[in-house]
Amino acid sequence: MYLNLRRNGDTLEAEIAGSWRGIDMPAIDTELAAVSFADAGTLRVQVPPSVPLDLAGAWRLREWLKSAEQAGLNVEFAGAEPGQIELIESTLAGKVRAAPASSSEPAFEPVSALGKQVTRRLQSVLMALDFLGHTTVTWLRSCTSWRRLRPASITRHVYETGLTAIPIASLIAFLITVIIAYIAAQYMRTYGAEIYVVDLITISVLRELAVLLTAIIVAGRSGSAFAAEIGAMKLNEEVDALHAIGVDPHEVLVVPRVIGLVIAMPLLTVVADLVGLTGGALLCHWLLDMPLVLFIERAQDSIAPTTFWVGVIKAPVFALLIALTGTYRGLQVRDSSRELGRLTTNAVVQSIFLVLFADALFAVAFWLLDI
């Protein structure tokens, strides 16, 4: 079913349904050929935003509307005219969108400037909420079909954001843990409390350091890559091409990256946990002459059953914030490479800020829950 028809007096109401793509043209042509315009004075067409409509489908819909006009019907849209049909009409008419005329900057007015800033910030919040809602709906829709979930793309992003990040994440976790263990050992040895260095290393690494350092590294590495990749596609009009062929860019560009990073981040956190504890054990053995067996036994005694899971639970939340921020800023790129660089920088800075803010909220929540 590609067309839902109903009569309202002399008005023929047609709602587009199904998928209007090039591969569906034979079935669409058969259904359109069976439509009769007899006893109708107006044809009101509704094209829901959820209907996949590529250029071939838009062209066929335009031809059908033209045939209705030739039959004497008044054609109108219930809602906005699809952008694909507008593109076809403007292309056939040879219209070129004129660049906006430059205007001189008005004199600085504090109240006006404040109002513009408030309006701009409010619009930014609404755009971010719209992006979040669109991404959520697209993900739920993709979950209904394994093909639309794009497992090949998800696997590639897990590899690029997870496996290739293991060396740098491991190195940072090792070095930071060694530095903290060294400083703690210097002070603890003064009071004869060297054994508590193990407690400090184990709890700090499992609860905070491993997941937080990994998230910051991923924000600078993968968050910037997401913004730059999608931003470059915007500059090359590849995202507009996806719209033209009836493909939702969120389904192709956003959802696989988000899912891939959400899968990869906990795995990176576990690797950072292991490497960090290994670095602490090696330093204790080298600086405090502590046997590795004693370090392992003390580490097991110092942690609670929830210590490991506290860090792991944070990982997918941090990954979600990083991936959404990077893809959102990438889709905002317009006009120039300078804008691409600015938004890529914004993606990294905002990702790190959101990660730290979320970590603070987790700390308060775990304190209230006595975890």
Side-chain angles (χ1 to χ4, degrees):
M1 179 70 71
Y2 297 95
L3 202 62
N4 296 322
L5 296 174
R6 56 183 177 271
R7 287 191 178 265
N8 185 7
D10 65 341
T11 300
L12 181 61
E13 298 179 352
E15 182 180 358
I16 304 301
S19 175
W20 283 60
R21 295 181 178 177
I23 194 173
D24 305 307
M25 283 302 102
I28 293 174
D29 290 338
T30 302
E31 191 164 335
L32 292 180
V35 177
S36 174
F37 297 133
D39 301 328
T42 302
L43 174 62
R44 182 176 294 116
V45 181
Q46 181 178 2
V47 183
S50 59
V51 173
L53 180 67
D54 63 5
L55 286 179
W59 184 274
R60 187 64 187 90
L61 177 61
R62 175 180 174 275
E63 288 183 339
W64 184 63
L65 298 180
K66 292 295 183 183
S67 65
E69 290 179 348
Q70 293 174 1
L73 276 70
N74 179 31
V75 177
E76 60 184 34
F77 282 94
E81 182 179 358
Q84 293 87 338
I85 294 182
E86 292 182 0
L87 174 63
I88 293 173
E89 296 288 356
S90 61
T91 302
L92 293 177
K95 296 179 180 179
V96 179
R97 184 178 299 176
S102 60
S103 59
S104 57
E105 288 292 333
F108 175 72
E109 298 178 1
V111 177
S112 176
L114 177 61
K116 289 180 180 178
Q117 285 293 333
V118 172
T119 303
R120 188 178 297 113
R121 298 300 180 186
L122 180 60
Q123 290 176 346
S124 299
V125 172
L126 294 178
M127 290 173 60
L129 292 176
D130 178 73
F131 170 81
L132 181 61
H134 191 170
T135 303
T136 303
V137 171
T138 304
W139 171 70
L140 293 175
R141 192 186 306 125
S142 300
C143 290
T144 61
S145 171
W146 182 251
R147 181 180 60 84
R148 297 186 68 176
L149 203 57
R150 303 180 187 274
S153 181
I154 293 175
T155 303
R156 180 175 69 87
H157 289 301
V158 170
Y159 172 78
E160 292 180 351
T161 61
L163 294 181
T164 58
I166 288 177
I168 183 64
S170 301
L171 178 62
I172 296 298
F174 181 84
L175 293 177
I176 295 298
T177 306
V178 167
I179 292 171
I180 293 176
Y182 178 79
I183 296 174
Q186 293 292 330
Y187 285 95
M188 294 292 186
R189 190 158 49 183
T190 305
Y191 303 100
E194 296 93 336
I195 192 64
Y196 291 107
V197 176
V198 181
D199 300 59
L200 175 65
I201 293 172
T202 305
I203 296 176
S204 62
V205 168
L206 294 180
R207 288 183 66 100
E208 292 292 338
L209 286 180
V211 64
L212 190 58
L213 291 173
T214 302
I216 292 175
I217 294 168
V218 169
R221 187 177 181 277
S222 300
S224 60
F226 289 171
E229 290 171 1
I230 298 178
M233 295 181 68
K234 289 282 290 184
L235 292 180
N236 294 332
E237 299 182 352
E238 296 176 46
V239 177
D240 295 333
L242 291 176
H243 279 295
I245 63 177
V247 177
D248 187 357
H250 285 71
E251 181 180 321
V252 179
L253 303 177
V254 177
V255 173
R257 285 174 167 81
V258 173
I259 296 177
L261 191 58
V262 168
I263 295 173
M265 189 71 179
L267 303 179
L268 283 174
T269 301
V270 173
V271 172
D273 286 338
L274 296 175
V275 174
L277 293 178
T278 301
L282 293 176
L283 186 127
C284 289
H285 179 71
W286 171 68
L287 191 63
L288 303 176
D289 294 326
M290 182 182 297
L292 296 180
V293 175
L294 178 60
F295 180 92
I296 295 174
E297 292 177 352
R298 182 64 187 181
Q300 291 176 341
D301 294 337
S302 63
I303 62 175
T306 58
T307 303
F308 170 76
W309 296 108
V310 165
V312 174
I313 288 172
K314 297 178 183 178
V317 178
F318 293 169
L320 195 64
L321 295 174
I322 294 169
L324 289 175
T325 303
T327 53
Y328 173 62
R329 290 305 180 187
L331 287 174
Q332 283 188 318
V333 173
R334 298 287 190 277
D335 301 331
S336 66
S337 57
R338 180 179 181 181
E339 189 75 359
L340 173 61
R342 183 183 70 84
L343 289 173
T344 301
T345 303
N346 285 349
V348 176
V349 174
Q350 291 175 358
S351 297
I352 295 176
F353 169 77
L354 290 175
V355 164
L356 294 175
F357 183 72
D359 190 58
L361 294 180
F362 271 118
V364 174
F366 290 144
W367 175 67
L368 294 176
L369 296 173
D370 194 23
I371 296 178

